[in-house]
Amino acid sequence: MTDPRETRLREHLQAIRARSEKSTSWRSSTRYLSRLVNRSGFVPIKARLSREDLTFLTGARDEVIAFADLGLRLLELHRPQDAGGITSDPEHPIRRCRACMGRWPCLTFRAIDESFDH
């Protein structure tokens, strides 16, 4: 039986992903736009935004902050600790994650780390 909280969170994350994928990337435009910053620190622009772009932009800031907070909380939970016991290499003792007790680096830490590598 699926936990309704998991279903709700999965649907919320999938909706964020779908909105993000439908919106237009501003990556190439920002190089050009950054050269247009005026004395007041603003870029006067006229942009053609689709409905999907506006939907994405409406919640993007808050969603990015929430994801950053989530990442920080996960990193706080999934930290290494000495596994204890006898080791053949005292310079490099075996470490385990303090939250899931998986061998360090645990799967959660690796998933977070890998998500920033691409």
Side-chain angles (χ1 to χ4, degrees), residues 38-51:
N38 63 23
R39 290 183 187 143
S40 301
F42 296 99
V43 177
I45 61 168
K46 291 182 181 177
R48 292 177 52 117
L49 299 173
S50 69
R51 182 175 285 117

Side-chain angles (χ1 to χ4, degrees), residues 74-95:
L74 286 171
L75 288 177
E76 183 63 30
L77 288 171
H78 292 271
R79 295 189 322 205
Q81 71 177 13
D82 187 353
I86 300 171
T87 179
S88 60
D89 186 2
E91 293 293 318
H92 300 93
I94 295 173
R95 299 187 309 164

